Amino acid sequence: MFRDSRGSIAVVEDRCCHRGLPLSLGRIVADTIVCGYHGISYNTAGRCVAIPGQRHVPPAMRVRSYPVVERDELIWVWMGASEEADTALVPSYPYHDDRARWPHRTHWQVLRCAHTLVIDNLLDLTHLAFVHKRTIGGDPDAHTNAEFSVEATPRGVRLMRWLLDSVPPPTYVNAVGFKGRVDRWMEFEFIAPGAVLQFTGALDVGQGAYEQGNREGGFALRIFHGITPETADTCHYFWSGCNGYRQSEAAVTDQLYTVLAATFAEDAAILEAQHVSVRSRPAPLFSTTHDRARVIAERKLQELLAAEAGTAHTVGG
Ligand code: FES
Ligand SMILES: [Fe+2]
């Protein structure tokens, strides 16, 4: 990935078409990427534009370039056949553009697990009571007894959970100083193939969070989860923690980031262990009531994979 002088992003194959060196080892010079081996340069469309010591540039010398859009602080690359790229399918995340209302910090890491396990994890929130006891977990009974609804969407699934009249978790209390019990909401939307949009928060009981849909005056946070498969055994996990309370205090956004990083480290340990176990013995597993959203997401992904496999000119992926 590289930017031209106007700041537009370009994504090209990471392999020089001369002797195959990864172009990511090169450098960017005046809107081109110059290979780090013999100095051949390519423009943002992947066309070779200069060969040191040779005047003629054969038009066939090029590397593949990929359709890309940059939106809401996210870069979306289409790895399939170029003519099938459809920017309308890019999930929108306007909160990233509203730094006054949603100041945020971002994170990226590689996880040693299949990307689907990360999606699964985000769609069965009963794990909070067990995996996140010390961070965002809170009342274990409230999690298992939570009221929840699941709704299939054209590109995935939406999951809504309410922990009514529950004890707030330590992180919520530290953030906004809850004195008593709260109504806590968790809203998750999976958008295939790899985005999960999260909106969670809590208000004091009686503030109308549940009854009137009030979301102001308590704790609130939004998280964008982007999960990109790398191999069958690894994936890239991108997330942003958008702070919806005490927005003018930069230290609060940093604190939120620290708590989320600790929370997702708890998930990472589980997911990597689960991956090893599932890979070593891929026997059937059982689903429970709380798997409903996960099952819909899995079906949606399988549907899309089947559709892609049926497309004659699908390239790579
Ligand atoms: S390998 Fe890139 S210029 Fe030779
Ligand atoms: Fe988790």
Side-chain angles (χ1 to χ4, degrees):
M1 274 182 201
F2 68 105
R3 288 185 190 280
D4 66 16
S5 52
R6 290 183 316 280
S8 311
I9 196 103
V11 180
V12 299
E13 189 183 351
D14 196 13
R15 178 182 176 277
C16 177
C17 73
H18 176 226
R19 303 301 298 155
L21 188 75
L23 284 173
S24 53
L25 296 176
R27 61 202 178 95
I28 300 154
V29 180
D31 293 352
T32 65
I33 180 129
V34 180
C35 179
Y37 203 170
H38 314 96
I40 290 180
S41 27
Y42 300 86
N43 67 12
T44 54
R47 281 233 337 267
C48 175
V49 289
I51 303 174
Q54 174 177 324
R55 220 182 275 152
H56 176 62
V57 177
M61 279 186 71
R62 56 182 309 145
V63 294
R64 187 160 175 214
S65 81
Y66 297 91
V68 58
V69 284
E70 186 171 17
R71 194 181 287 170
D72 311 324
E73 297 186 357
L74 294 159
I75 295 165
W76 300 86
V77 184
W78 178 257
M79 308 290 288
S82 298
E83 65 277 15
E84 285 172 11
D86 181 356
T87 54
L89 294 178
V90 171
S92 128
Y93 209 67
Y95 316 104
H96 279 170
D97 302 317
D98 188 354
R99 284 197 167 256
R101 176 75 182 84
W102 296 102
H104 53 275
R105 280 189 56 182
T106 58
H107 183 93
W108 160 70
Q109 78 185 94
V110 173
L111 293 176
R112 291 184 304 273
C113 69
H115 79 291
T116 48
L117 294 188
V118 187
I119 298 165
D120 295 358
N121 168 274
L122 293 165
L123 295 178
D124 180 355
L125 302 176
T126 54
H127 82 268
L128 267 71
F130 301 93
V131 179
H132 304 308
K133 274 192 288 286
R134 281 179 301 278
T135 48
I136 53 160
D139 193 342
D141 290 339
H143 281 285
T144 15
N145 301 329
E147 176 180 324
F148 78 107
S149 61
V150 173
E151 180 198 349
T153 62
R155 295 283 300 179
V157 63
R158 199 175 291 122
L159 167 68
M160 184 80 200
R161 282 164 55 88
W162 281 99
L163 278 63
L164 296 171
D165 195 11
S166 65
V167 177
T171 52
Y172 284 30
V173 176
N174 294 340
V176 296
F178 284 121
K179 297 274 183 295
R181 299 170 79 88
V182 296
D183 289 335
R184 182 175 171 192
W185 72 88
M186 303 177 177
E187 196 183 305
F188 282 71
E189 184 179 2
F190 166 64
I191 304 176
V196 176
L197 319 187
Q198 172 179 353
F199 181 31
T200 43
L203 295 189
D204 285 320
V205 172
Q207 293 300 302
Y210 182 71
E211 300 79 0
Q212 285 112 43
N214 185 17
R215 297 286 180 272
E216 302 296 323
F219 179 87
L221 89 96
R222 288 188 184 272
I223 305 176
F224 176 90
H225 304 264
I227 307 115
T228 304
E230 182 185 51
T231 67
D233 299 303
T234 56
C235 62
H236 294 263
Y237 186 21
F238 304 87
W239 56 262
S240 67
C242 306
N243 165 18
Y245 55 94
R246 292 165 63 194
Q247 290 93 336
S248 56
E249 298 168 60
V252 168
T253 304
D254 287 342
Q255 258 162 30
L256 176 68
Y257 171 84
T258 306
V259 166
L260 292 176
T263 305
F264 296 143
E266 292 172 334
D267 287 307
I270 293 281
L271 295 174
E272 296 187 347
Q274 180 196 10
H275 182 76
V276 172
S277 159
V278 172
R279 285 289 263 185
S280 67
R281 201 167 79 81
L285 299 164
F286 291 92
S287 294
T288 70
T289 314
H290 291 279
D291 283 288
R292 213 186 308 154
R294 186 192 63 71
V295 168
I296 295 174
E298 188 177 302
R299 251 187 244 138
K300 179 51 73 180
L301 271 180
Q302 277 164 3
E303 227 174 85
L304 289 169
L305 283 168
E308 186 180 280
T311 314
H313 49 287
T314 295
V315 188

mmCIF file of all heavy atoms in Angstrom, residues 97-133:
data_model
loop_
_atom_site.group_PDB
_atom_site.id
_atom_site.type_symbol
_atom_site.label_atom_id
_atom_site.label_comp_id
_atom_site.label_asym_id
_atom_site.label_seq_id
_atom_site.Cartn_x
_atom_site.Cartn_y
_atom_site.Cartn_z
ATOM 1 N N ASP A 97 -15.272 9.739 11.907
ATOM 2 C CA ASP A 97 -15.085 11.095 11.373
ATOM 3 C C ASP A 97 -15.554 12.164 12.351
ATOM 4 O O ASP A 97 -15.419 13.346 12.086
ATOM 5 C CB ASP A 97 -15.850 11.246 10.051
ATOM 6 C CG ASP A 97 -15.387 10.207 9.044
ATOM 7 O OD1 ASP A 97 -14.168 10.002 8.960
ATOM 8 O OD2 ASP A 97 -16.238 9.585 8.384
ATOM 9 N N ASP A 98 -16.128 11.731 13.467
ATOM 10 C CA ASP A 98 -16.638 12.684 14.441
ATOM 11 C C ASP A 98 -15.798 12.581 15.715
ATOM 12 O O ASP A 98 -16.210 12.002 16.714
ATOM 13 C CB ASP A 98 -18.122 12.355 14.718
ATOM 14 C CG ASP A 98 -18.783 13.414 15.575
ATOM 15 O OD1 ASP A 98 -18.080 14.338 16.046
ATOM 16 O OD2 ASP A 98 -20.005 13.306 15.805
ATOM 17 N N ARG A 99 -14.626 13.175 15.654
ATOM 18 C CA ARG A 99 -13.679 13.018 16.767
ATOM 19 C C ARG A 99 -14.102 13.759 18.032
ATOM 20 O O ARG A 99 -13.651 13.428 19.127
ATOM 21 C CB ARG A 99 -12.282 13.456 16.335
ATOM 22 C CG ARG A 99 -11.627 12.415 15.453
ATOM 23 C CD ARG A 99 -10.128 12.597 15.348
ATOM 24 N NE ARG A 99 -9.552 11.396 14.760
ATOM 25 C CZ ARG A 99 -8.902 10.466 15.463
ATOM 26 N NH1 ARG A 99 -8.705 10.602 16.750
ATOM 27 N NH2 ARG A 99 -8.431 9.391 14.856
ATOM 28 N N ALA A 100 -14.962 14.769 17.871
ATOM 29 C CA ALA A 100 -15.405 15.496 19.059
ATOM 30 C C ALA A 100 -16.376 14.622 19.857
ATOM 31 O O ALA A 100 -16.307 14.547 21.079
ATOM 32 C CB ALA A 100 -16.071 16.797 18.655
ATOM 33 N N ARG A 101 -17.265 13.931 19.157
ATOM 34 C CA ARG A 101 -18.270 13.097 19.818
ATOM 35 C C ARG A 101 -17.712 11.706 20.164
ATOM 36 O O ARG A 101 -18.084 11.117 21.165
ATOM 37 C CB ARG A 101 -19.483 12.969 18.875
ATOM 38 C CG ARG A 101 -20.604 12.074 19.335
ATOM 39 C CD ARG A 101 -21.426 12.735 20.439
ATOM 40 N NE ARG A 101 -22.487 11.865 20.945
ATOM 41 C CZ ARG A 101 -22.319 10.938 21.888
ATOM 42 N NH1 ARG A 101 -21.138 10.740 22.425
ATOM 43 N NH2 ARG A 101 -23.331 10.204 22.315
ATOM 44 N N TRP A 102 -16.846 11.196 19.283
ATOM 45 C CA TRP A 102 -16.307 9.848 19.461
ATOM 46 C C TRP A 102 -14.783 9.834 19.331
ATOM 47 O O TRP A 102 -14.227 9.272 18.379
ATOM 48 C CB TRP A 102 -16.911 8.884 18.422
ATOM 49 C CG TRP A 102 -18.387 8.698 18.570
ATOM 50 C CD1 TRP A 102 -19.368 9.271 17.818
ATOM 51 C CD2 TRP A 102 -19.054 7.901 19.561
ATOM 52 N NE1 TRP A 102 -20.600 8.880 18.270
ATOM 53 C CE2 TRP A 102 -20.446 8.025 19.342
ATOM 54 C CE3 TRP A 102 -18.610 7.082 20.614
ATOM 55 C CZ2 TRP A 102 -21.395 7.384 20.135
ATOM 56 C CZ3 TRP A 102 -19.561 6.431 21.397
ATOM 57 C CH2 TRP A 102 -20.930 6.584 21.148
ATOM 58 N N PRO A 103 -14.071 10.470 20.277
ATOM 59 C CA PRO A 103 -12.609 10.377 20.217
ATOM 60 C C PRO A 103 -12.199 8.897 20.318
ATOM 61 O O PRO A 103 -12.862 8.137 21.035
ATOM 62 C CB PRO A 103 -12.150 11.172 21.441
ATOM 63 C CG PRO A 103 -13.338 11.255 22.346
ATOM 64 C CD PRO A 103 -14.556 11.168 21.472
ATOM 65 N N HIS A 104 -11.177 8.504 19.597
ATOM 66 C CA HIS A 104 -10.870 7.067 19.586
ATOM 67 C C HIS A 104 -9.399 6.768 19.372
ATOM 68 O O HIS A 104 -8.637 7.620 18.923
ATOM 69 C CB HIS A 104 -11.700 6.373 18.503
ATOM 70 C CG HIS A 104 -11.560 7.006 17.154
ATOM 71 N ND1 HIS A 104 -12.313 8.087 16.769
ATOM 72 C CD2 HIS A 104 -10.740 6.724 16.114
ATOM 73 C CE1 HIS A 104 -11.971 8.430 15.537
ATOM 74 N NE2 HIS A 104 -11.022 7.627 15.126
ATOM 75 N N ARG A 105 -9.058 5.564 19.697
ATOM 76 C CA ARG A 105 -7.721 5.033 19.388
ATOM 77 C C ARG A 105 -7.881 3.698 18.688
ATOM 78 O O ARG A 105 -8.858 2.992 18.892
ATOM 79 C CB ARG A 105 -6.912 4.849 20.680
ATOM 80 C CG ARG A 105 -6.326 6.163 21.154
ATOM 81 C CD ARG A 105 -5.358 5.950 22.289
ATOM 82 N NE ARG A 105 -4.282 5.028 21.946
ATOM 83 C CZ ARG A 105 -3.327 4.668 22.813
ATOM 84 N NH1 ARG A 105 -3.343 5.129 24.055
ATOM 85 N NH2 ARG A 105 -2.380 3.827 22.460
ATOM 86 N N THR A 106 -6.901 3.369 17.873
ATOM 87 C CA THR A 106 -7.031 2.173 17.047
ATOM 88 C C THR A 106 -5.931 1.156 17.354
ATOM 89 O O THR A 106 -4.897 1.495 17.931
ATOM 90 C CB THR A 106 -6.946 2.539 15.550
ATOM 91 O OG1 THR A 106 -5.690 3.201 15.341
ATOM 92 C CG2 THR A 106 -8.078 3.451 15.145
ATOM 93 N N HIS A 107 -6.192 -0.060 16.944
ATOM 94 C CA HIS A 107 -5.269 -1.151 17.253
ATOM 95 C C HIS A 107 -5.256 -2.146 16.101
ATOM 96 O O HIS A 107 -6.261 -2.345 15.442
ATOM 97 C CB HIS A 107 -5.769 -1.855 18.528
ATOM 98 C CG HIS A 107 -4.872 -2.952 19.004
ATOM 99 N ND1 HIS A 107 -3.890 -2.743 19.933
ATOM 100 C CD2 HIS A 107 -4.804 -4.261 18.674
ATOM 101 C CE1 HIS A 107 -3.250 -3.889 20.165
ATOM 102 N NE2 HIS A 107 -3.791 -4.826 19.410
ATOM 103 N N TRP A 108 -4.115 -2.763 15.911
ATOM 104 C CA TRP A 108 -3.999 -3.835 14.911
ATOM 105 C C TRP A 108 -3.098 -4.928 15.463
ATOM 106 O O TRP A 108 -2.082 -4.643 16.085
ATOM 107 C CB TRP A 108 -3.395 -3.290 13.612
ATOM 108 C CG TRP A 108 -2.809 -4.371 12.758
ATOM 109 C CD1 TRP A 108 -3.492 -5.333 12.069
ATOM 110 C CD2 TRP A 108 -1.413 -4.633 12.542
ATOM 111 N NE1 TRP A 108 -2.613 -6.172 11.425
ATOM 112 C CE2 TRP A 108 -1.332 -5.764 11.705
ATOM 113 C CE3 TRP A 108 -0.228 -4.030 12.976
ATOM 114 C CZ2 TRP A 108 -0.104 -6.300 11.295
ATOM 115 C CZ3 TRP A 108 0.989 -4.556 12.568
ATOM 116 C CH2 TRP A 108 1.034 -5.671 11.728
ATOM 117 N N GLN A 109 -3.483 -6.158 15.255
ATOM 118 C CA GLN A 109 -2.581 -7.253 15.615
ATOM 119 C C GLN A 109 -2.913 -8.492 14.787
ATOM 120 O O GLN A 109 -4.006 -8.596 14.223
ATOM 121 C CB GLN A 109 -2.661 -7.584 17.101
ATOM 122 C CG GLN A 109 -3.861 -8.394 17.525
ATOM 123 C CD GLN A 109 -3.875 -8.557 19.045
ATOM 124 O OE1 GLN A 109 -4.499 -7.784 19.753
ATOM 125 N NE2 GLN A 109 -3.212 -9.588 19.538
ATOM 126 N N VAL A 110 -1.937 -9.390 14.699
ATOM 127 C CA VAL A 110 -2.178 -10.660 14.003
ATOM 128 C C VAL A 110 -2.547 -11.687 15.058
ATOM 129 O O VAL A 110 -1.893 -11.782 16.095
ATOM 130 C CB VAL A 110 -0.918 -11.090 13.219
ATOM 131 C CG1 VAL A 110 -1.105 -12.488 12.628
ATOM 132 C CG2 VAL A 110 -0.603 -10.086 12.115
ATOM 133 N N LEU A 111 -3.633 -12.415 14.817
ATOM 134 C CA LEU A 111 -4.037 -13.478 15.735
ATOM 135 C C LEU A 111 -3.752 -14.820 15.079
ATOM 136 O O LEU A 111 -3.980 -14.988 13.878
ATOM 137 C CB LEU A 111 -5.539 -13.386 16.036
ATOM 138 C CG LEU A 111 -6.025 -12.173 16.836
ATOM 139 C CD1 LEU A 111 -7.539 -12.200 16.962
ATOM 140 C CD2 LEU A 111 -5.379 -12.144 18.217
ATOM 141 N N ARG A 112 -3.301 -15.784 15.875
ATOM 142 C CA ARG A 112 -3.041 -17.119 15.342
ATOM 143 C C ARG A 112 -4.305 -17.971 15.465
ATOM 144 O O ARG A 112 -4.381 -18.914 16.254
ATOM 145 C CB ARG A 112 -1.859 -17.769 16.077
ATOM 146 C CG ARG A 112 -0.515 -17.099 15.756
ATOM 147 C CD ARG A 112 0.645 -17.830 16.415
ATOM 148 N NE ARG A 112 0.466 -17.939 17.853
ATOM 149 C CZ ARG A 112 0.835 -17.014 18.742
ATOM 150 N NH1 ARG A 112 1.416 -15.909 18.327
ATOM 151 N NH2 ARG A 112 0.628 -17.199 20.031
ATOM 152 N N CYS A 113 -5.313 -17.588 14.713
ATOM 153 C CA CYS A 113 -6.551 -18.369 14.663
ATOM 154 C C CYS A 113 -7.280 -18.030 13.367
ATOM 155 O O CYS A 113 -6.990 -17.011 12.731
ATOM 156 C CB CYS A 113 -7.448 -18.069 15.868
ATOM 157 S SG CYS A 113 -8.151 -16.433 15.869
ATOM 158 N N ALA A 114 -8.236 -18.894 12.998
ATOM 159 C CA ALA A 114 -9.057 -18.627 11.815
ATOM 160 C C ALA A 114 -9.883 -17.369 12.074
ATOM 161 O O ALA A 114 -10.363 -17.156 13.194
ATOM 162 C CB ALA A 114 -9.982 -19.808 11.559
ATOM 163 N N HIS A 115 -10.080 -16.559 11.045
ATOM 164 C CA HIS A 115 -10.795 -15.295 11.265
ATOM 165 C C HIS A 115 -12.235 -15.521 11.723
ATOM 166 O O HIS A 115 -12.799 -14.716 12.445
ATOM 167 C CB HIS A 115 -10.748 -14.432 10.003
ATOM 168 C CG HIS A 115 -11.719 -14.836 8.949
ATOM 169 N ND1 HIS A 115 -11.618 -15.999 8.234
ATOM 170 C CD2 HIS A 115 -12.838 -14.224 8.498
ATOM 171 C CE1 HIS A 115 -12.622 -16.081 7.392
ATOM 172 N NE2 HIS A 115 -13.373 -15.025 7.524
ATOM 173 N N THR A 116 -12.793 -16.662 11.348
ATOM 174 C CA THR A 116 -14.187 -16.927 11.720
ATOM 175 C C THR A 116 -14.347 -17.066 13.242
ATOM 176 O O THR A 116 -15.402 -16.745 13.785
ATOM 177 C CB THR A 116 -14.688 -18.218 11.042
ATOM 178 O OG1 THR A 116 -13.711 -19.239 11.247
ATOM 179 C CG2 THR A 116 -14.907 -18.013 9.561
ATOM 180 N N LEU A 117 -13.283 -17.511 13.910
ATOM 181 C CA LEU A 117 -13.392 -17.654 15.368
ATOM 182 C C LEU A 117 -13.543 -16.297 16.046
ATOM 183 O O LEU A 117 -14.183 -16.178 17.095
ATOM 184 C CB LEU A 117 -12.164 -18.386 15.930
ATOM 185 C CG LEU A 117 -11.988 -19.847 15.512
ATOM 186 C CD1 LEU A 117 -10.851 -20.489 16.309
ATOM 187 C CD2 LEU A 117 -13.268 -20.644 15.714
ATOM 188 N N VAL A 118 -12.962 -15.268 15.451
ATOM 189 C CA VAL A 118 -13.083 -13.925 16.035
ATOM 190 C C VAL A 118 -14.527 -13.435 15.887
ATOM 191 O O VAL A 118 -15.114 -12.869 16.810
ATOM 192 C CB VAL A 118 -12.101 -12.933 15.377
ATOM 193 C CG1 VAL A 118 -12.126 -11.589 16.106
ATOM 194 C CG2 VAL A 118 -10.689 -13.494 15.342
ATOM 195 N N ILE A 119 -15.097 -13.685 14.716
ATOM 196 C CA ILE A 119 -16.492 -13.290 14.482
ATOM 197 C C ILE A 119 -17.403 -14.038 15.461
ATOM 198 O O ILE A 119 -18.255 -13.447 16.125
ATOM 199 C CB ILE A 119 -16.893 -13.573 13.014
ATOM 200 C CG1 ILE A 119 -16.031 -12.743 12.068
ATOM 201 C CG2 ILE A 119 -18.375 -13.283 12.786
ATOM 202 C CD1 ILE A 119 -16.084 -13.190 10.618
ATOM 203 N N ASP A 120 -17.185 -15.344 15.566
ATOM 204 C CA ASP A 120 -17.975 -16.168 16.504
ATOM 205 C C ASP A 120 -17.931 -15.574 17.908
ATOM 206 O O ASP A 120 -18.942 -15.471 18.593
ATOM 207 C CB ASP A 120 -17.393 -17.588 16.629
ATOM 208 C CG ASP A 120 -17.485 -18.380 15.341
ATOM 209 O OD1 ASP A 120 -18.031 -17.865 14.357
ATOM 210 O OD2 ASP A 120 -16.987 -19.528 15.338
ATOM 211 N N ASN A 121 -16.735 -15.214 18.300
ATOM 212 C CA ASN A 121 -16.517 -14.695 19.650
ATOM 213 C C ASN A 121 -17.360 -13.451 19.919
ATOM 214 O O ASN A 121 -17.938 -13.280 20.993
ATOM 215 C CB ASN A 121 -15.015 -14.388 19.799
ATOM 216 C CG ASN A 121 -14.692 -13.586 21.040
ATOM 217 O OD1 ASN A 121 -14.766 -12.362 21.025
ATOM 218 N ND2 ASN A 121 -14.348 -14.252 22.119
ATOM 219 N N LEU A 122 -17.456 -12.607 18.901
ATOM 220 C CA LEU A 122 -18.176 -11.338 19.083
ATOM 221 C C LEU A 122 -19.691 -11.522 19.027
ATOM 222 O O LEU A 122 -20.438 -10.615 19.378
ATOM 223 C CB LEU A 122 -17.723 -10.335 18.018
ATOM 224 C CG LEU A 122 -16.270 -9.877 18.165
ATOM 225 C CD1 LEU A 122 -15.797 -9.187 16.901
ATOM 226 C CD2 LEU A 122 -16.120 -8.966 19.368
ATOM 227 N N LEU A 123 -20.126 -12.691 18.569
ATOM 228 C CA LEU A 123 -21.569 -12.897 18.427
ATOM 229 C C LEU A 123 -22.166 -13.791 19.526
ATOM 230 O O LEU A 123 -23.361 -14.021 19.552
ATOM 231 C CB LEU A 123 -21.889 -13.461 17.038
ATOM 232 C CG LEU A 123 -21.563 -12.513 15.868
ATOM 233 C CD1 LEU A 123 -21.879 -13.181 14.543
ATOM 234 C CD2 LEU A 123 -22.317 -11.191 15.986
ATOM 235 N N ASP A 124 -21.347 -14.310 20.407
ATOM 236 C CA ASP A 124 -21.883 -15.013 21.575
ATOM 237 C C ASP A 124 -21.301 -14.351 22.815
ATOM 238 O O ASP A 124 -20.208 -14.666 23.274
ATOM 239 C CB ASP A 124 -21.542 -16.502 21.544
ATOM 240 C CG ASP A 124 -22.115 -17.224 22.773
ATOM 241 O OD1 ASP A 124 -22.667 -16.538 23.656
ATOM 242 O OD2 ASP A 124 -21.998 -18.466 22.842
ATOM 243 N N LEU A 125 -22.085 -13.440 23.365
ATOM 244 C CA LEU A 125 -21.563 -12.595 24.442
ATOM 245 C C LEU A 125 -21.684 -13.224 25.817
ATOM 246 O O LEU A 125 -21.317 -12.613 26.809
ATOM 247 C CB LEU A 125 -22.267 -11.247 24.404
ATOM 248 C CG LEU A 125 -22.091 -10.548 23.041
ATOM 249 C CD1 LEU A 125 -22.877 -9.259 23.011
ATOM 250 C CD2 LEU A 125 -20.632 -10.265 22.754
ATOM 251 N N THR A 126 -22.192 -14.458 25.867
ATOM 252 C CA THR A 126 -22.226 -15.112 27.183
ATOM 253 C C THR A 126 -20.788 -15.358 27.661
ATOM 254 O O THR A 126 -20.566 -15.613 28.837
ATOM 255 C CB THR A 126 -23.004 -16.443 27.146
ATOM 256 O OG1 THR A 126 -22.464 -17.266 26.113
ATOM 257 C CG2 THR A 126 -24.474 -16.192 26.863
ATOM 258 N N HIS A 127 -19.816 -15.232 26.750
ATOM 259 C CA HIS A 127 -18.425 -15.443 27.179
ATOM 260 C C HIS A 127 -17.931 -14.332 28.104
ATOM 261 O O HIS A 127 -16.957 -14.514 28.826
ATOM 262 C CB HIS A 127 -17.498 -15.615 25.964
ATOM 263 C CG HIS A 127 -17.049 -14.343 25.313
ATOM 264 N ND1 HIS A 127 -17.702 -13.742 24.266
ATOM 265 C CD2 HIS A 127 -15.989 -13.532 25.575
ATOM 266 C CE1 HIS A 127 -17.065 -12.645 23.900
ATOM 267 N NE2 HIS A 127 -16.031 -12.485 24.675
ATOM 268 N N LEU A 128 -18.598 -13.196 28.096
ATOM 269 C CA LEU A 128 -18.126 -12.074 28.919
ATOM 270 C C LEU A 128 -18.017 -12.441 30.400
ATOM 271 O O LEU A 128 -17.084 -12.046 31.078
ATOM 272 C CB LEU A 128 -19.052 -10.854 28.765
ATOM 273 C CG LEU A 128 -18.632 -9.845 27.703
ATOM 274 C CD1 LEU A 128 -18.848 -10.403 26.306
ATOM 275 C CD2 LEU A 128 -19.401 -8.548 27.855
ATOM 276 N N ALA A 129 -19.018 -13.211 30.843
ATOM 277 C CA ALA A 129 -19.062 -13.551 32.266
ATOM 278 C C ALA A 129 -17.890 -14.451 32.664
ATOM 279 O O ALA A 129 -17.496 -14.481 33.819
ATOM 280 C CB ALA A 129 -20.379 -14.239 32.585
ATOM 281 N N PHE A 130 -17.324 -15.158 31.688
ATOM 282 C CA PHE A 130 -16.270 -16.118 32.009
ATOM 283 C C PHE A 130 -14.890 -15.625 31.597
ATOM 284 O O PHE A 130 -13.929 -15.735 32.335
ATOM 285 C CB PHE A 130 -16.600 -17.475 31.360
ATOM 286 C CG PHE A 130 -17.920 -17.987 31.849
ATOM 287 C CD1 PHE A 130 -19.089 -17.726 31.155
ATOM 288 C CD2 PHE A 130 -17.993 -18.663 33.055
ATOM 289 C CE1 PHE A 130 -20.317 -18.151 31.646
ATOM 290 C CE2 PHE A 130 -19.210 -19.089 33.560
ATOM 291 C CZ PHE A 130 -20.376 -18.827 32.855
ATOM 292 N N VAL A 131 -14.807 -15.069 30.391
ATOM 293 C CA VAL A 131 -13.498 -14.640 29.878
ATOM 294 C C VAL A 131 -13.116 -13.262 30.431
ATOM 295 O O VAL A 131 -11.940 -12.983 30.661
ATOM 296 C CB VAL A 131 -13.520 -14.609 28.330
ATOM 297 C CG1 VAL A 131 -12.181 -14.153 27.769
ATOM 298 C CG2 VAL A 131 -13.873 -15.976 27.778
ATOM 299 N N HIS A 132 -14.115 -12.420 30.645
ATOM 300 C CA HIS A 132 -13.809 -11.016 30.996
ATOM 301 C C HIS A 132 -14.243 -10.629 32.401
ATOM 302 O O HIS A 132 -14.612 -9.479 32.646
ATOM 303 C CB HIS A 132 -14.474 -10.082 29.975
ATOM 304 C CG HIS A 132 -14.091 -10.368 28.570
ATOM 305 N ND1 HIS A 132 -12.780 -10.473 28.155
ATOM 306 C CD2 HIS A 132 -14.842 -10.587 27.464
ATOM 307 C CE1 HIS A 132 -12.759 -10.746 26.857
ATOM 308 N NE2 HIS A 132 -13.995 -10.826 26.415
ATOM 309 N N LYS A 133 -14.195 -11.606 33.293
ATOM 310 C CA LYS A 133 -14.588 -11.344 34.683
ATOM 311 C C LYS A 133 -13.942 -10.084 35.242
ATOM 312 O O LYS A 133 -14.578 -9.290 35.905
ATOM 313 C CB LYS A 133 -14.134 -12.515 35.572
ATOM 314 C CG LYS A 133 -15.095 -13.671 35.634
ATOM 315 C CD LYS A 133 -14.723 -14.643 36.760
ATOM 316 C CE LYS A 133 -13.472 -15.450 36.469
ATOM 317 N NZ LYS A 133 -13.622 -16.518 35.490
#
